[in-house]
Amino acid sequence: MHNWLPRTPGTDGTTIRLTSSKAAGNTFTLSQQEDEGRFFVDCGGNPLTNLYSDLQRLRKKYLPQEPGAAVDETRLLRYALHLHRTGQQSGGPLSTASDARSLCPSHVGLPTPPGSLGKQWDRFLEAFPVSLHSAPQSKRLCVGAGFTAHRPLYQKWRNVQILERSSYILSQAMGRQATQPTEEAVRRALTKEGWANNTPSVQGVVGGWVAPRDAPTSSQSLIRSISEQCWRGLAVRDFGGLKGKGVVATCPMDKGDVVCDYHGTLISQAEGRQREDSIYRVFFKELCIDASSRCDCHPEVETYGRLLNHSRKRPNLKPKMFNLTFPDGPRPVIVFLALQSIKVGEELVWDYGVTRTSFGGEGKDLAWLDM
Ligand SMILES: C[S@@+](CC[C@H](N)C(=O)[O-])C[C@H]1O[C@@H](n2cnc3c(N)ncnc32)[C@H](O)[C@@H]1O
């Protein structure tokens, strides 16, 4: 199996060692530029600020695609977390393995099926959503549902679930202040879940822990967190039923902390109104952000903002608009700020600003709108 292993940054910079068959022995040494978040430069020598595309490029150039390759889970988590650490030297904070998950699959070497297989993966996920407790699908079921390339899809599905489970166990086993969990605490949390297979290892979970960092405090660090979709202390949890997925805190947050953005496609308010089927629209001023499908900039990342659920009576987040100047120009963004101190494990919710009686009573059957 190929791999490319970053070393923890030293004072002199960071070395990424490429050990794939094609690139064995090659190293990249990242200098202090890394502190600016500039991992690589483009052909014209200009610094790149988007970790995602930088890594995609690196991966494409040096790593053979191995759609069915198995992944060493411990190394995967460590690797993803190292990337996060090194990618966020001056701002975009990260804290847990759940954050590593947001890099998956392509960032961390999860096999990314090329071409049509990649398209199948999206459909596969829709047909067989990954959750903490779902069981992998049998070959017969997959093939019956039209997925001919069962093996790589199945393997990738298992890898994503392992990361989701690792992240969840980490959030359960961490100390109150998001301190590193002991092996014993992780073992207890794993035993409680009683998963019979595809279970993360104790060492993998403990090794995936990263000390919490501060929330972004400057517009530059905010721009980086948005561009790289790197947010600290967040995990997706499936609440089941109609509520579906939501986001929980995996590290304590303070009032005023930036939690994440509402990441999607920026369109006009008028266009947004036409997209009636989308439940992932946020309107502000004359604009709308639609997050109904994955964004073009992070197509393989499940972004957090769109999964935040609603609470009218007890919101702990509030949305705020900022005008930021990104490398490709200025644009408004919606960012969620903590309204109060937030504890580990708390669900993060905001007030969607609608009640059952809004829009002439359109949502009169939706009791959750008033809760
Ligand atoms: C922007 S999405 C939030 C993420 C969503 N739960 C999911 O799994 O994709 C909004 C939808 O989530 C559900 N939802 C949000 N808040 C809820 C709540 N407090 N109780 C039940 N369902 C909720 C509703 O179906 C709503 O249309």
Side-chain angles (χ1 to χ4, degrees), residues 242-246 262 279-280 306-311 352 368 371:
L242 286 178
K243 187 169 178 180
K245 290 181 184 172
Y262 194 87
I279 58 165
Y280 298 98
R306 68 193 291 274
L307 295 180
L308 292 168
N309 285 319
H310 161 84
S311 173
Y352 289 0
W368 59 267
M371 295 198 299

Side-chain angles (χ1 to χ4, degrees), residues 73 157-167 198-200:
E73 165 230 331
W157 188 98
R158 283 173 61 91
N159 290 333
V160 172
Q161 186 184 55
I162 275 276
L163 286 169
E164 193 157 309
R165 287 181 167 181
S166 300
S167 143
N198 211 27
T199 309

Side-chain angles (χ1 to χ4, degrees), residues 95-322:
S95 67
T96 72
S98 63
D99 302 314
R101 207 186 129 255
S102 71
L103 277 180
C104 286
S106 58
H107 282 176
V108 290
L110 280 171
T112 303
S116 62
L117 209 53
K119 286 186 194 120
Q120 277 203 36
W121 169 243
D122 286 344
R123 287 195 296 109
F124 192 77
L125 261 191
E126 263 172 46
F128 306 109
V130 180
S131 75
L132 288 178
H133 303 294
S134 45
Q137 323 65 36
S138 68
K139 183 172 179 182
R140 232 183 66 198
L141 201 64
C142 295
V143 174
F147 299 103
T148 43
H150 166 256
R151 178 46 60 180
L153 294 169
Y154 169 83
Q155 189 58 52
K156 186 163 170 171
W157 188 98
R158 283 173 61 91
N159 290 333
V160 172
Q161 186 184 55
I162 275 276
L163 286 169
E164 193 157 309
R165 287 181 167 181
S166 300
S167 143
Y168 175 73
I169 292 297
L170 196 56
S171 74
Q172 298 302 298
M174 274 189 311
R176 280 219 183 125
Q177 295 304 313
T179 46
Q180 186 166 32
T182 60
E183 289 197 358
E184 191 41 43
V186 169
R187 212 167 278 122
R188 265 201 312 273
L190 280 169
T191 308
K192 200 167 152 203
E193 296 309 320
W195 294 315
N197 49 39
N198 211 27
T199 309
S201 70
V202 172
Q203 291 74 19
V205 175
V206 173
W209 176 86
V210 179
R213 291 170 173 228
D214 294 334
T217 50
S218 67
S219 54
Q220 278 315 307
S221 59
L222 186 52
I223 286 170
R224 189 163 316 130
S225 294
I226 293 172
S227 304
E228 294 167 6
Q229 279 305 290
C230 285
W231 303 105
R232 70 171 184 149
L234 302 178
V236 174
R237 186 166 299 169
D238 197 337
F239 293 94
L242 286 178
K243 187 169 178 180
K245 290 181 184 172
V247 183
V248 293
T250 59
C251 82
M253 297 179 185
D254 293 325
K255 183 175 175 177
D257 276 358
V258 173
V259 174
C260 65
D261 68 327
Y262 194 87
H263 207 74
T265 310
L266 186 66
I267 51 179
S268 70
Q269 174 136 183
E271 197 180 341
R273 296 257 173 251
Q274 284 168 11
R275 300 189 180 185
E276 282 171 7
D277 290 343
S278 170
I279 58 165
Y280 298 98
R281 288 170 300 168
V282 165
F283 291 92
F284 60 105
K285 303 214 177 265
E286 292 307 306
L287 296 166
C288 168
I289 295 178
D290 182 9
S292 55
S293 56
R294 295 193 176 199
C295 56
D296 291 340
C297 42
H298 307 88
E300 301 209 42
V301 174
E302 176 80 286
T303 56
Y304 292 110
R306 68 193 291 274
L307 295 180
L308 292 168
N309 285 319
H310 161 84
S311 173
R312 191 169 74 83
K313 293 188 179 153
R314 276 182 291 278
N316 50 16
L317 303 183
K318 71 165 180 198
K320 191 166 164 55
M321 193 200 86
F322 290 95

Side-chain angles (χ1 to χ4, degrees), residues 4 6 16 39 51 55 77-88 103 107-108 230:
W4 38 310
I16 290 183
F39 263 62
L51 177 63
L55 290 172
L77 270 168
R78 288 227 180 96
Y79 172 54
L81 288 160
H82 274 306
L83 281 182
H84 266 291
R85 277 184 185 148
T86 54
Q88 298 194 59
L103 277 180
H107 282 176
V108 290
C230 285

